[in-house]
């Protein structure tokens, strides 16, 4: 049964706030969000698992004894601290064993003893120097990305009893995603969204018929809290509580179970307009829960296999996925730039037509130094507050594509500081409490809003009888239709083109295709009349057009304002940053392109934000 009178604010499974029938939510005493959570590193964890992929056509790529020979040779060559100088003894000390083959074709190798950071670097360097090796990586654990508490027109208006009071992130004109207007158009029906997370509590009463069985990919019993290392059908969240401080890595804290995956899945497809609890964004989509995070996080090798399987790829020993996901959400991450294994798995998913949406991370740092946000072919999502401004913890930078509601934590109060969805109040196991609703904050919460809007779009275009958008097309659509931030985002901490807008994304996706005299949608320029006040985020693009006559020099100039822009010019077609007739890309906003011998026709001018910019003017002269 659901415990409706006990809603919980949970920022990484945190303090409980009670609400009695007929009364408002009580404020927790001195509830504050701590400094951003740091990602664990190989040095903190120690490593007893490494991943090696061999070049196709080499003996090691096909022969198990050759694989082990390559790894043993790397250990024999490496000069490891505190280990005998005898090469054979070094190999015996770590006794590498090939455990299994991953879905991307790499091999997981288990070591008898852990390698510290310095020795790990030496072993990986020796492996990478072997001509048969394509890449070698540490199989480190990654964590969910939410925050830790220091202390304890016609629109569908859902009848879910807590929707109006708590779920600002769906309807607020400043910080929300414009979901009510979108629900009149699409609800995500027929679309599968995989949630790679801590698993799911399938008996929560606000998931009604929209959960697929899923799979538990955790291959380590201590992490999964199952009896064996075997991967198993279903994705029941067994709890990710940690009993003791310093148990996961130096400086880690004991904590209760987070029920993170259930909350994330709720944002995507919690049952809506059913008279129960709260609402989800794409509430007729089906969630494919894939468990990859447990106690102390989850291994990179398991996450990579889960990406492959969820998108319809083959993973040895696991039954084929009967419901490949059109969209994958990963509200998880860790320190370091994107590694080859992650990129391999993501590229495979994208090649199968799956859009991969990821959280940017919560370290208030450049997302280029975090994975998977820094990987290519992902939609990386930063976090915005109820005000529409950047959340203090959100990672930022050029790799962040757009923002979603993540909540500002205590700075915006309750409920406005948190994203509210389905949850559980048990401290440990899934039998230790009652179903409830939780308020959480983080880029973990922002990412599923974007994934759910992607599901709305794919469902709508299918209903219209059109082919689904490719991952690249869908990413472009989401970025271009994002709503401008209602407050200024500091130029040094950009979080993409704007806040995801569900209705705008649907409107653009469902535009009738042009059949004659077609050209890109652009803002027309008038000769010698400047367009002023152009503003955008890092990575944003704005397209203008100019009708030129033949023979007379035409110039396109930007000037004024702050920030940094480039301009790209196309003759008769829209330019890109890699295909153009001419460009100007200097530091700042003073850009000039001169076409000395123009042809008669349309020139397209694209203004691109190299960094966030504001107050720029564009002038065409002929």
């Amino acid at each position: 049964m659901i415990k409706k009178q006990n809603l919980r604010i949970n920022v990484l499974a945190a303090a409980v706030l009670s609400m009695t029938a007929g009364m408002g939510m009580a404020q927790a005493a001195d509830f504050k969000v701590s400094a951003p959570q740091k990602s664990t590193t190989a040095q903190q964890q120690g490593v007893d698992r490494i991943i090696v992929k061999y070049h196709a056509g080499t003996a090691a790529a096909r022969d198990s004894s050759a694989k082990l020979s390559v790894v043993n040779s790397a250990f024999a060559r490496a000069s490891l601290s505190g280990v005998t100088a005898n090469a054979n003894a070094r190999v015996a000390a770590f006794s590498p064993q090939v455990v299994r083959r991953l879905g991307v074709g790499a091999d997981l190798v288990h070591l008898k003893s852990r390698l510290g950071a310095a020795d790990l670097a030496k072993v990986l360097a020796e492996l990478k120097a072997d001509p048969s090796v394509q890449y070698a990586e540490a199989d480190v654990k990654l964590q969910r990305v939410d925050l830790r508490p220091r202390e304890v027109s016609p629109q569908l208006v859902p009848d879910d009893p807590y929707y109006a009071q708590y779920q600002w992130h769906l309807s607020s004109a400043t910080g929300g995603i414009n979901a009510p207007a979108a629900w009149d158009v699409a609800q995500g029906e027929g679309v599968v969204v995989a949630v790679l997370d801590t698993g799911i509590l399938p008996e929560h009463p606000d998931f009604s018929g929209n959960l697929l069985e899923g799979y538990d990919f955790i291959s380590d019993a201590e992490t999964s809290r199952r009896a064996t290392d075997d991967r198993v059908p279903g994705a029941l969240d067994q709890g990710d509580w940690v009993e003791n401080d310093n148990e996961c890595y130096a400086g880690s804290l004991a904590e209760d179970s987070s029920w993170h995956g259930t909350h994330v899945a709720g944002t995507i497809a919690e049952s809506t307009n059913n008279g129960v609890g709260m609402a989800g964004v794409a509430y007729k989509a089906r969630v494919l829960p894939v468990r990859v995070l447990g106690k102390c996080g989850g291994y990179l090798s398991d996450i990579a296999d889960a990406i492959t399987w969820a998108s319809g790829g083959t993973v040895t020993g696991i039954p084929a996925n009967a419901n490949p996901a059109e969209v994958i959400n990963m509200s998880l991450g860790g320190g370091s730039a994107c590694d080859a294994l992650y990129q391999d798995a993501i590229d495979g998913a994208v090649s199968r037509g799956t859009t991969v949406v990821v959280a940017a991370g919560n370290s208030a740092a450049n997302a280029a130094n975090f994975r998977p946000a820094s990987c290519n072919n992902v939609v990386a999502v930063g976090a915005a507050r109820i005000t529409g401004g950047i959340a203090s913890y959100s990672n930022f930078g050029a790799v962040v594509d757009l923002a979603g509601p993540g909540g500002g934590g205590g700075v915006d109060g309750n409920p406005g500081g948190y994203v509210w969805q389905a949850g559980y109040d048990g401290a440990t196991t899934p039998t230790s409490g009652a179903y409830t609703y939780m308020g959480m904050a983080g880029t973990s919460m922002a990412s599923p809003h974007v994934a759910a809007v992607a599901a709305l779009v794919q469902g709508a275009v299918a209903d219209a009888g059109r082919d689904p958008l490719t991952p690249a097309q869908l990413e472009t659509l989401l970025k271009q239709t994002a709503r401008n931030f209602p407050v200024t985002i500091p130029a040094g901490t950009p979080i993409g083109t704007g806040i995801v807008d569900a209705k705008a994304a649907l409107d653009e996706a469902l535009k009738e295709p042009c059949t004659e005299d077609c050209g890109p949608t652009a803002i027309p320029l008038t000769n010698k009349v400047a367009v002023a006040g152009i503003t955008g985020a890092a990575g944003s693009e704005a397209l203008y057009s100019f009708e030129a006559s033949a023979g007379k020099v035409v110039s396109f100039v930007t000037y004024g304002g702050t920030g940094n822009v480039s301009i790209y010019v196309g003759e008769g077609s829209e330019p890109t940053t890699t295909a153009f007739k001419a460009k100007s890309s200097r530091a700042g906003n003073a850009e000039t392109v001169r076409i000395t011998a123009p042809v008669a026709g349309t020139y397209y001018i694209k203004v691109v934000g190299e960094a966030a910019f504001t107050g720029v003017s564009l002038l065409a002269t002929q």
Side-chain angles (χ1 to χ4, degrees):
M1 81 183 258
I2 193 159
K3 193 174 180 182
K4 291 184 180 177
Q5 74 277 16
N6 186 20
L7 297 178
R8 181 167 74 161
I9 261 197
N10 183 314
V11 187
L12 216 163
V16 176
L17 304 183
S18 63
M19 184 173 86
T20 56
M23 297 181 67
M25 174 68 72
Q27 292 290 339
D30 196 24
F31 187 90
K32 300 176 181 177
V33 174
S34 71
Q37 182 179 353
K38 295 182 179 179
S39 300
T40 60
T41 65
Q43 185 174 20
Q44 290 171 309
Q45 298 179 19
V47 169
D48 62 0
R49 296 153 60 117
I50 57 177
I51 300 158
V52 185
K53 187 174 184 180
Y54 303 95
H55 289 293
T58 61
R62 59 182 182 273
D63 181 76
S64 57
S65 62
K67 296 178 193 296
L68 199 54
S69 176
V70 169
V71 176
N72 286 342
S73 294
F75 273 88
R77 295 192 303 271
S79 175
L80 305 181
S81 59
V83 182
T84 176
N86 181 279
N88 290 333
R90 279 201 298 276
V91 173
F94 290 94
S95 188
Q97 296 295 324
V98 177
V99 177
R100 67 172 181 275
R101 187 175 179 84
L102 276 61
V104 296
D107 292 290
L108 175 63
V109 179
H110 185 266
L111 310 177
K112 183 170 69 174
S113 304
R114 288 185 176 269
L115 284 166
D119 286 344
L120 171 66
K122 293 175 183 177
V123 171
L124 293 180
E126 294 292 347
L127 282 168
K128 293 172 183 178
D130 191 301
S132 67
V133 173
Q134 181 176 335
Y135 60 76
E137 308 285 352
D139 191 17
V140 297
K141 276 189 171 181
L142 287 83
Q143 287 77 40
R144 61 188 191 270
V145 284
D146 50 7
L147 298 183
R148 184 183 303 279
R150 185 181 299 158
E151 301 120 4
V152 177
S153 69
Q155 296 178 359
L156 172 66
V157 179
D159 62 8
D160 308 75
Y162 300 136
Y163 164 76
Q165 183 178 356
Y166 291 97
Q167 293 191 285
W168 61 268
H169 42 98
L170 302 186
S171 61
S172 166
T174 52
I177 67 165
N178 200 14
W183 288 330
D184 287 340
V185 179
Q187 303 85 40
E189 190 166 8
V191 179
V192 176
V193 182
V195 176
L196 276 56
D197 214 293
T198 64
I200 195 79
L201 296 173
E203 299 302 318
H204 194 292
D206 218 359
F207 290 105
S208 177
N210 53 3
L211 292 179
L212 297 166
E213 182 182 38
Y215 220 87
D216 189 333
F217 268 82
I218 301 177
S219 60
D220 171 64
E222 182 180 5
T223 303
S224 72
R225 286 198 160 92
R226 289 183 280 99
T228 71
D229 292 342
D230 297 336
R231 293 164 165 176
V232 297
L236 175 66
D237 190 339
Q238 305 278 358
D240 59 354
W241 78 96
V242 178
E243 292 88 342
N244 304 303
D245 291 351
N246 301 307
E247 191 168 353
C248 297
Y249 55 88
S252 68
L253 301 177
E255 60 180 353
D256 291 344
S257 289
S258 66
W259 316 114
H260 187 268
T262 296
H263 190 280
V264 168
T267 294
I268 293 168
E270 195 163 315
S271 297
T272 300
N273 210 34
N274 63 339
V276 176
M278 295 183 179
V281 177
Y283 56 87
K284 289 187 180 179
R286 292 182 297 167
V287 167
L288 179 70
V290 186
R291 188 173 183 233
V292 296
L293 302 178
K295 179 180 178 180
C296 298
Y299 282 106
L300 178 59
S301 57
D302 290 338
I303 296 169
D305 271 354
I307 294 169
T308 299
W309 181 83
S311 60
T314 300
V315 176
T316 301
I318 307 298
N321 177 11
N323 300 285
E326 286 94 332
V327 183
I328 288 175
N329 183 82
M330 294 199 294
S331 291
L332 51 83
S336 112
C338 186
D339 56 88
L341 174 63
Y342 240 147
Q343 194 63 66
D344 210 358
I346 289 166
D347 289 348
V350 170
S351 74
R352 290 183 281 273
T354 301
T355 299
V356 181
V357 182
V358 305
N362 296 338
S363 295
N366 194 325
N369 299 316
F370 292 80
R371 56 184 168 183
S374 59
C375 294
N376 296 325
N377 294 328
V378 300
V379 182
V381 184
R385 300 165 50 194
I386 191 172
T387 63
I390 182 173
S392 62
Y393 54 79
S394 181
N395 283 356
F396 51 80
V399 301
V400 180
D401 294 300
L402 75 167
V411 68
D412 289 321
N414 172 38
Y418 306 92
V419 170
W420 287 84
Q421 297 294 169
Y424 193 68
D425 67 7
T428 53
T429 70
T431 58
S432 61
Y435 299 110
T436 184
Y437 295 87
M438 303 188 303
M440 301 178 75
T443 56
S444 272
M445 288 60 254
S447 179
H449 285 89
V450 174
V453 173
L456 293 178
V457 169
Q458 295 292 52
V461 297
D463 286 345
R466 303 180 192 173
D467 292 335
L469 301 184
T470 67
Q473 289 171 333
L474 189 50
E475 177 180 348
T476 297
L477 175 80
L478 293 169
K479 291 164 65 175
Q480 290 183 344
T481 59
R483 188 173 71 256
N484 289 338
F485 293 106
V487 297
T488 300
I489 304 299
T493 58
I495 50 172
T497 59
I499 299 171
V500 66
D501 189 306
K503 181 58 163 59
L506 288 171
D507 288 346
E508 182 64 25
L510 295 175
K511 279 184 178 177
E512 288 299 323
C514 181
T515 57
E516 59 182 51
D517 297 327
C518 300
T521 301
I523 301 168
L525 297 174
T526 301
N527 189 26
K528 300 181 182 179
V529 177
V531 175
I534 304 172
T535 298
S540 64
E541 298 180 349
L543 188 64
Y544 299 83
S545 63
F546 181 74
E547 297 302 321
S549 55
K552 186 178 180 181
V553 175
V554 61
S555 299
F556 305 107
V557 178
T558 59
Y559 58 90
T562 61
N564 186 12
V565 301
S566 296
I567 57 174
Y568 297 82
V569 177
E571 182 183 287
S573 61
E574 179 178 355
T576 70
T577 56
T578 56
F580 49 82
K581 180 176 179 62
K583 76 168 185 176
S584 178
S585 185
R586 297 187 296 238
N589 296 329
E591 309 291 349
T592 300
V593 169
R594 286 169 54 86
I595 310 295
T596 57
V599 299
T602 304
Y603 283 80
Y604 291 96
I605 307 92
K606 180 171 287 185
V607 179
V608 176
E610 302 296 343
F613 62 95
T614 186
V616 176
S617 296
L618 172 63
L619 176 66
T621 303
Q622 187 176 40

